[in-house]
């Protein structure tokens, strides 16, 4: 943190501006005397400004727990004790050829320990920070990749790898990289004051005391609400909960108790990037759906290119130094001077982060204010200039393709970048842009699945004035939500589902089609043709602009622990049904054994089903409430009470519920002898075998996907676990690769009620955003066909990943669907006749670039 009172207002600004932190300023007047523009007024008073807004989104983020408050771990006393965010900053230096060194003496560490749950899961903060386990895994793997011989141990209580593909990542860290895992909570970190090494003492698996020596210790610190968050909530009149996070409406996790005020991200509780981005999209969707877009005028994009396109280039070059990481490898000053000397270049800027939207917006504003009519952006592959449709723009990826791979050849890398800029300029000078194709959209959406996710999405899309068809393969709405009677906090759920069902049936823009399935889906975003088949009826063809897949998943029917052989061995869902119908009465039960991870986190299904632990806690707490004398023992591997659910785990232990851990190779054994159940297992802490005779055994089976047939119809990929693959795991988690098709709920991955609702709201936002445009404008980089050369061999059709090419059966030539073409060039590589091409990458441009290069 900058200790000075004067600092730069924005690191990504093209024109740097400076601000004075009045809390640090002593008003000595030296800055005012030295300022040549006389721009500093130390007597300026604070101003209060009023703004009229329709809605507010609160996304204030989090602050990391101050590790110095946990004094037993030596943070800020022992120099080699770091937080996980500090380690992240050290790891970034590895990319610029710097060694990862420990702070005390610059020594390259040979051993590192990670301590989990620092500032979380204790009496002062009885919640799980949700992200710390995966942060530790990521950083440990990065350390191993940078220095394979380094010895890494992660000390943890529960490894909460509960997200999609997270358990696979955990297994990779353990099996591929050899990272060690010790299940314990370290009480204290000591230091060898001679060597500055750090000492950790803990009980081993055989209960012997072990002291281990490490070069560095990394503290995985928790997430706290922002320090000013309480004041913001008071100003807005919204409530905060026990731990200072914002409270939200029942069954609407992004809406506060104040109409028009929404909240997302870690303002509502600890969460990772995926859930944060999904919530932000859901909050935006709430605002989009707050008023009908059907009657609003559509502002079409221009069908002809800007006059700037075909003028003699006056080019501005923007060189990104990636927060000064690239400037440590390449000579940015030399590159800037070279670019300025090229014909047609009128201005060269060095920018800290061109991947940031605010930086690109400043570039756009600069272009509008000046006479430049073309742009060259030099940076990384993350630069996506959607804003520059009216300007010829070329992007040069120098980070991944030049700087990182030529770290030891600074001068050669610098010269290569100079040559790439010159070639890019030639490409712009030789370009010949034609009209940008425009395609109208069908303002109607299809939702596959009538469960909680499908119904939630349908209501939001219809609220925006868009017609919706819901198809459900069964004869009623509700899906898996019909099996849920109460939530963890004992809120009733069936009444909400009934209200949602009635809303679906009464909404004129929503058309419900039960006992119906999808047979075929053709077309592209904005214009799909879908064949639907009603059970016992004829098929019908319908047109849609977008599709939401909310097809759900199924609960596994176990084939172990005597399930199906003894009526006293049931699943958690069957227990919940029995408790709700009074078929199972807690007061008549003396003891229950619950077994977690049945069919999950094994070689057959190497994923966590996410909701099982919480469902078991919910049923166990309810039975304890009804019968405090009942003995409940839960056999688990890692208890996944992530986020704010942790306090229910604490409450369960306080109520006397026992938790016994088991390893997958030592599962409990259930037998039925002398008309009674017997459960035998090894207690890991005692190292001894124990035997229970419970009245009931309750299993938590896996969530199993059922997407194979539908994925074939939609022509999209599934993950290795059988769930629908998202286009990008973190930032496009409800999109699939096929544009215009979105996923939510259990079709995406296992998730609880609130997470399902948020994801459905996010998918609805993507649909509304797509169909609100009225028209789709294709990219300037679009595939083309030279019909005179095309033989209709269909090779280009087969290789196109976006289904943007079809065969005209009359002409027997390929045809491009420009609205969904992404200009990837696969067709150009596959065409044997040279009939395929890409706009803005013509032969004249290619030869001009080659001439410059040679």
């Amino acid at each position: 943190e900058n200790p000075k009172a004067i600092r730069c207002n924005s690191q990504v600004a093209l024109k740097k501006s400076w601000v004075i932190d009045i809390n640090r300023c002593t008003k000595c007047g030296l800055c005012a005397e030295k300022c040549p523009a006389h721009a500093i007024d130390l007597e300026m008073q604070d101003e209060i400004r009023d703004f009229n807004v329709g809605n507010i989104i609160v996304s204030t983020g989090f602050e990391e727990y101050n590790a110095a408050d946990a004094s037993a771990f030596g943070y800020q006393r022992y120099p080699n004790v770091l937080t996980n965010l500090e380690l992240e900053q050290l790891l970034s230096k590895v990319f610029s050829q710097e060694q990862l060194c420990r702070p005390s003496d610059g020594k390259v560490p040979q051993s590192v320990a990670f301590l989990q749950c620092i500032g979380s899961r204790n009496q002062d903060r009885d919640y799980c920070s949700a992200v710390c386990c995966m942060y530790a895994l990521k950083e440990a793997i990065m350390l191993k990749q940078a220095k394979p011989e380094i010895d890494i141990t992660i000390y943890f209580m529960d490894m909460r790898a509960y997200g999609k593909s997270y358990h696979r990542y955990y297994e990779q860290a353990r099996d591929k990289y050899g990272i060690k895992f010790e299940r314990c909570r370290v009480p204290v970190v000591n230091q060898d004051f001679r060597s500055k090494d750090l000492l950790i003492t803990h009980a081993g698996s055989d209960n012997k005391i072990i002291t281990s020596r490490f070069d560095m210790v990394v503290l995985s610190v928790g997430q706290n609400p922002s320090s000013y968050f309480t004041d913001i909530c008071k100003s807005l009149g919204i409530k905060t909960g026990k731990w200072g996070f914002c409270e939200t409406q029942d069954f609407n996790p992004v809406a506060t108790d104040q109409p028009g005020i929404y909240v997302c991200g870690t303002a509502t509780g600890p969460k990772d990037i995926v859930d944060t981005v999904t919530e932000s999209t859901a909050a935006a969707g709430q605002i989009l759906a707050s008023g009908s877009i059907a009657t609003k005028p559509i502002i079409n994009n221009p069908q002809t290119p800007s006059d700037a396109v075909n003028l003699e280039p006056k080019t501005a070059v923007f060189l990104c130094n990636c927060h000064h990481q690239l400037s440590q490898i390449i000579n940015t000053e030399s590159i800037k001077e070279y670019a300025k000397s090229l014909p047609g270049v009128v201005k060269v800027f060095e920018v800290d982060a061109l991947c940031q939207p605010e930086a690109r917006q400043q570039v756009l504003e600069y272009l509008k204010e000046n006479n430049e009519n073309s742009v060259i952006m030099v940076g990384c592959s993350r630069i996506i200039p959607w804003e520059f449709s009216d300007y010829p723009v070329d992007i040069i990826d120098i980070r991944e393709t030049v700087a990182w791979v030529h770290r030891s050849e600074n001068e050669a890398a610098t010269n290569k970048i100079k040559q790439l800029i010159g070639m890019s300029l030639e490409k712009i000078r030789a370009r010949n842009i034609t009209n940008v194709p425009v395609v109208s959209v069908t303002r109607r959406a299809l939702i596959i699945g009538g469960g909680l996710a499908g119904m939630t999405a349908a209501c939001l899309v219809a609220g925006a004035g868009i017609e919706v068809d819901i198809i459900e393969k069964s004869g009623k709405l509700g899906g898996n939500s019909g099996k849920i009677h109460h939530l963890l906090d004992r809120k009733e759920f069936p009444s909400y589902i009934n209200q949602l069902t009635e809303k679906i049936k009464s909404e004129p823009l929503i058309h419900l089609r039960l006992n119906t399935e999808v047979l075929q889906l053709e077309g592209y975003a904005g214009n799909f043709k879908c064949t639907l088949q009603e059970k016992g009826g004829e098929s019908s063809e319908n047109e849609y602009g977008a599709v939401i897949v909310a097809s759900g998943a199924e609960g596994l029917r176990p084939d172990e622990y005597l399930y199906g052989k003894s009526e006293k061995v049931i699943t958690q869902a069957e227990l919940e049904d029995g408790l709700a119908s009074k078929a199972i009465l807690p007061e008549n039960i003396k003891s229950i054994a619950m077994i977690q991870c049945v069919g999950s986190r094994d070689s057959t299904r190497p994923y966590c089903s996410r909701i099982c632990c919480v469902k078991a806690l919910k049923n166990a707490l309810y039975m304890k409430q009804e019968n405090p004398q009942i003995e409940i023992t839960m056999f688990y591997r890692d208890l996944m009470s992530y986020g704010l659910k942790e306090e229910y785990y604490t409450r369960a232990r306080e109520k006397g519920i026992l938790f016994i851990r088991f390893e997958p190779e030592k599962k409990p054994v259930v037998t039925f002898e002398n008309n009674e159940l017997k459960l035998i297992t090894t207690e890991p802490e005692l190292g001894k075998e124990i035997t229970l005779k419970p009245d009931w055994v309750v299993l938590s089976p896996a969530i199993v996907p059922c997407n194979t047939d539908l994925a074939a119809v939609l022509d999209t990929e599934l993950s290795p676990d059988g769930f629908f693959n998202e286009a990008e795991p973190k930032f496009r988690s409800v999109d699939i690769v096929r544009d215009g098709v979105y996923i939510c709920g259990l079709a995406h991955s296992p998730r609880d009620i609130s997470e399902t609702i948020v994801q459905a709201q996010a998918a609805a936002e993507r649909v509304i955003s797509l169909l609100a445009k009225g028209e789709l404008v294709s990219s300037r980089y679009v595939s083309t066909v030279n019909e005179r050369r095309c033989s209709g061999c269909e090779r280009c059709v087969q290789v196109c990943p976006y289904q943007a090419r079809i065969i005209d059966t009359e002409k027997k030539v390929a045809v491009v669907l420009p609205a969904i073409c992404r200009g990837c060039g696969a067709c150009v590589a596959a065409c044997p006749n040279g009939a395929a091409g890409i706009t803005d990458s013509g032969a004249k441009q290619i030869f001009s670039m080659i001439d410059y290069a040679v």
Side-chain angles (χ1 to χ4, degrees):
E1 188 176 357
N2 190 344
K4 295 184 178 181
I6 301 177
R7 67 179 189 278
C8 182
N9 187 37
S10 174
Q11 293 298 320
V12 300
L14 298 180
K15 298 178 181 179
K16 295 288 191 291
S17 59
W18 300 83
V19 295
I20 297 176
D21 185 344
I22 200 65
N23 295 318
R24 291 178 173 172
C25 179
T26 62
K27 295 189 178 182
C28 67
L30 287 176
C31 57
E33 293 176 9
K34 295 290 185 181
C35 180
H38 305 290
I40 298 176
D41 180 6
L42 294 175
E43 302 304 321
M44 182 181 290
Q45 300 298 312
D46 291 340
E47 294 182 10
I48 297 177
R49 298 182 182 181
D50 293 331
F51 296 91
N52 293 321
V53 297
N55 300 95
I56 297 173
I57 294 180
V58 180
S59 54
T60 49
F62 72 92
E63 292 180 355
E64 65 173 355
Y65 171 74
N66 183 6
D69 291 343
S71 58
F73 303 109
Y75 181 71
Q76 294 183 346
R77 289 189 294 117
Y78 307 151
N80 296 322
V81 176
L82 310 176
T83 67
N84 51 340
L85 293 182
E86 290 171 341
L87 175 62
E88 189 101 8
Q89 294 172 347
L90 287 179
L91 286 169
S92 67
K93 296 181 180 180
V94 175
F95 291 105
S96 56
Q97 282 194 297
E98 292 187 31
Q99 289 280 3
L100 177 69
C101 302
R102 69 178 191 169
S104 66
D105 51 15
K107 172 186 172 183
V108 177
Q110 301 299 314
S111 57
V112 177
F114 286 82
L115 307 189
Q116 301 306 104
C117 301
I118 307 301
S120 295
R121 300 187 70 184
N122 55 37
Q123 290 183 342
D124 295 329
R125 291 174 180 81
D126 192 16
Y127 58 84
C128 166
S129 287
V131 300
C132 311
C133 288
M134 298 311 298
Y135 278 1
L137 287 178
K138 179 193 72 172
E139 291 170 354
I141 288 176
M142 290 173 69
L143 282 170
K144 277 286 189 178
Q145 290 172 337
K147 188 177 177 61
E149 66 273 17
I150 195 170
D151 183 69
I152 298 177
T153 303
I154 297 178
Y155 294 89
F156 71 105
M157 293 192 294
D158 294 283
M159 185 49 58
R160 290 182 170 169
Y162 57 85
K164 188 175 184 178
S165 300
Y166 285 5
H167 186 72
R168 287 177 179 269
Y169 195 68
Y170 163 57
E171 290 185 325
Q172 182 185 36
R174 183 192 63 201
D175 301 334
K176 179 180 178 180
Y177 291 99
I179 295 168
K180 302 171 186 174
F181 293 86
E182 288 287 346
R183 192 183 294 268
C184 67
R185 190 156 197 168
V186 175
V188 65
V189 174
N190 294 310
Q191 180 181 250
D192 182 333
F193 286 92
R194 294 179 180 178
S195 64
K196 305 298 183 185
D197 291 347
L198 300 162
L199 306 175
I200 291 177
T201 301
H202 67 95
S205 56
D206 54 0
N207 289 324
K208 291 183 179 179
I209 301 301
I210 300 172
T211 298
S212 302
R213 180 180 293 264
F214 295 94
D215 292 333
M216 284 174 47
V217 168
V218 181
L219 306 180
S220 294
V221 294
Q223 295 183 353
N224 292 339
S226 299
S227 55
Y228 53 87
F229 184 62
T230 301
D231 293 335
I232 290 176
C233 290
K234 286 181 179 178
S235 299
L236 296 175
I238 56 180
K239 297 179 181 178
T240 56
K242 180 179 180 181
W243 308 113
F245 296 101
C246 182
E247 289 188 351
T248 57
Q249 291 182 14
D250 294 346
F251 310 116
N252 192 346
V254 297
T256 69
D257 54 349
Q258 292 293 330
I261 300 180
Y262 303 97
V263 63
C264 60
T266 49
T268 61
K271 54 182 61 70
D272 63 8
I273 292 174
V274 180
D275 292 335
T276 295
V277 173
T278 304
E279 278 196 1
S280 66
T281 308
Q286 295 278 299
I287 294 174
L288 282 177
S290 60
S292 173
I293 64 168
T295 57
K296 295 179 181 179
I298 301 170
I299 302 176
N300 294 330
N301 291 303
Q303 296 188 23
T304 57
S306 168
D307 293 337
V309 169
N310 294 315
L311 295 174
E312 182 67 22
K314 294 181 179 180
T315 306
V317 177
F318 296 89
L319 173 63
C320 179
N321 62 36
C322 198
H323 294 296
H324 300 287
Q325 291 187 40
L326 294 182
S327 57
Q328 299 177 47
I329 305 174
I330 59 176
N331 189 336
T332 55
E333 289 299 323
S334 177
I335 293 171
K336 286 160 59 180
E337 290 301 318
Y338 177 80
K340 289 177 184 177
S341 69
L342 295 174
V345 175
V346 296
K347 195 71 175 179
V348 178
F349 292 95
E350 184 173 349
V351 186
D352 281 345
L354 270 175
C355 61
Q356 298 294 326
E358 55 267 33
R360 295 197 302 275
Q361 185 61 37
Q362 290 173 354
V363 172
L364 187 61
E365 291 172 0
Y366 169 81
L367 293 172
K368 291 178 179 178
E369 295 172 359
N370 296 274
N371 295 322
E372 286 82 338
N373 55 30
S374 56
V375 188
I376 296 176
M377 293 187 176
V378 187
C380 72
S381 59
R382 293 178 60 191
I383 302 173
I384 307 175
W386 298 119
E387 307 94 332
F388 297 86
S389 58
D390 288 342
Y391 293 91
V393 56
D394 198 36
I395 300 172
I396 305 174
D397 175 10
I398 63 169
R399 188 179 71 169
E400 286 85 0
T401 62
V402 182
W404 286 171
V405 295
H406 298 295
R407 294 178 215 169
S408 60
E409 303 171 275
N410 295 12
E411 184 177 354
T414 299
N415 291 334
K416 184 176 180 179
I417 292 169
K418 291 178 182 178
Q419 193 173 48
L420 289 173
I421 293 174
M423 294 170 66
S424 177
L425 188 63
E426 287 298 316
K427 180 181 178 182
I428 287 176
R429 291 170 63 88
R431 68 193 295 146
N432 180 23
I433 298 297
T434 57
N435 288 352
V436 179
V438 176
V439 179
S440 61
V441 303
T442 302
R443 189 169 283 181
R444 190 183 185 106
L446 171 67
I447 296 180
I448 304 173
L452 175 63
M455 291 194 290
T456 300
C459 290
L460 209 61
V461 173
I466 298 172
E467 284 197 270
V468 182
D469 285 4
I470 299 180
I471 64 168
E472 166 58 44
K473 65 181 180 181
S474 70
K476 64 177 182 178
L477 292 171
N480 289 305
S481 59
K483 303 173 184 177
I484 300 172
H485 299 278
H486 291 90
L487 302 186
L488 186 59
D489 55 7
R490 300 309 299 162
K491 291 174 184 172
E492 286 201 8
F493 189 62
S495 58
Y496 173 71
I497 290 296
N498 292 335
Q499 293 172 15
L500 199 57
T501 302
E502 291 304 314
K503 186 175 181 180
I504 293 289
K505 293 179 178 178
S506 61
E507 172 57 61
L509 290 177
I510 298 177
H511 311 286
L512 178 60
R513 304 182 63 168
L514 300 175
N515 298 305
T516 304
E517 297 186 67
V518 182
L519 291 184
Q520 189 174 18
L521 183 71
E522 298 177 332
Y524 50 90
N527 290 275
F528 289 110
K529 287 185 179 179
C530 183
T531 303
L532 303 178
Q533 176 67 59
E534 186 176 350
K535 186 177 182 181
E538 296 183 355
S539 62
S540 61
E541 191 172 273
N542 302 268
E543 294 185 353
Y544 301 100
V547 179
I548 293 178
V549 181
S551 51
E554 299 174 345
L556 175 72
R557 291 190 62 81
D559 57 1
E560 52 186 332
Y561 300 118
L562 299 183
Y563 181 79
K565 299 177 181 178
S566 170
E567 62 180 14
K568 294 295 185 178
V569 179
I570 59 177
T571 65
Q572 291 288 350
E574 291 166 345
L575 174 61
E576 187 167 348
D577 276 339
L579 292 172
S581 65
K582 304 298 183 183
I584 298 176
L585 299 175
E587 55 267 31
N588 295 337
I589 301 173
K590 292 182 179 180
S591 63
I592 280 185
M594 294 182 173
I595 304 176
Q596 303 303 105
C597 295
V598 179
S600 287
R601 301 175 70 199
D602 57 19
S603 58
T604 304
R605 298 176 194 85
Y607 59 86
C608 170
S609 291
R610 191 169 177 139
I611 63 174
C612 315
C613 290
V614 172
K615 181 177 287 189
L617 284 175
K618 175 184 70 174
N619 288 337
L621 284 169
Y622 174 73
M623 287 190 290
K624 268 292 187 181
Q625 174 185 307
E626 297 299 305
N627 178 12
Q629 304 305 315
I630 190 172
E631 295 179 0
I632 301 176
T633 306
M634 192 178 298
F635 297 88
Y636 74 105
R637 290 173 57 189
D638 294 280
L639 213 293
M640 303 297 184
S641 55
Y642 55 91
L644 302 183
K645 303 176 180 72
E646 177 69 15
E647 60 181 301
Y648 294 96
Y649 181 23
T650 302
R651 191 180 304 172
R653 298 196 304 274
E654 292 173 346
K655 295 289 185 182
I657 297 171
L658 298 179
F659 292 84
I660 298 178
R661 186 175 53 81
F662 68 91
E663 295 297 334
E665 62 274 9
K666 294 183 179 180
K667 292 181 179 181
V669 176
V670 177
T671 59
F672 190 75
E673 300 175 8
N674 300 323
N675 205 32
E676 63 180 4
L677 290 170
K678 181 184 291 186
L679 187 151
I680 303 172
T681 189
T682 300
E683 210 291 324
E685 302 304 323
L686 299 175
K688 296 180 179 180
E689 189 176 274
I690 59 173
T691 301
L692 300 180
K693 295 183 178 180
D695 295 340
W696 295 80
V697 171
V698 185
L699 309 179
S700 293
I703 300 296
V704 181
C706 50
N707 301 318
T708 304
D709 294 340
L710 184 57
V713 171
L714 300 179
D715 193 19
T716 188
E717 294 181 352
L718 297 176
S719 73
D721 297 323
F723 298 97
F724 280 99
N725 250 354
E726 56 275 84
E728 201 285 324
K730 285 184 169 56
F731 301 105
R732 296 181 63 198
S733 64
V734 298
D735 296 45
I736 65 173
V737 173
R738 189 171 185 179
D739 284 356
V741 182
Y742 309 98
I743 48 174
C744 59
L746 297 181
H748 175 279
S749 59
R751 53 197 53 252
D752 67 14
I753 295 297
S754 63
E755 292 161 347
T756 295
I757 292 172
V758 166
Q759 204 174 54
Q761 291 172 336
E765 189 275 343
R766 301 290 291 126
V767 169
I768 297 168
S769 297
L770 172 66
L771 302 187
K773 297 174 183 177
E775 294 176 342
L776 298 180
V777 180
S778 67
S779 166
R780 291 199 182 278
Y781 296 94
V782 177
S783 175
T784 61
V785 178
N786 185 331
E787 293 186 1
R788 295 181 63 183
R789 293 184 176 181
C790 181
S791 63
C793 68
E794 298 191 25
R795 291 186 184 180
C796 60
V797 176
Q798 295 166 2
V799 301
C800 179
Y802 302 102
Q803 298 181 326
R805 280 182 166 243
I806 59 175
I807 293 294
D808 186 324
T809 54
E810 293 184 2
K811 292 184 177 181
K812 296 184 179 179
V813 296
V815 177
V816 177
L817 304 175
I820 57 175
C821 178
R822 292 295 174 266
C824 68
C827 54
V828 179
C831 180
N833 306 320
I838 300 290
T839 59
D840 202 26
S841 295
K844 182 179 178 181
Q845 292 173 287
I846 300 299
F847 285 121
S848 295
M849 294 168 69
I850 293 173
D851 288 342
Y852 184 90
V854 299

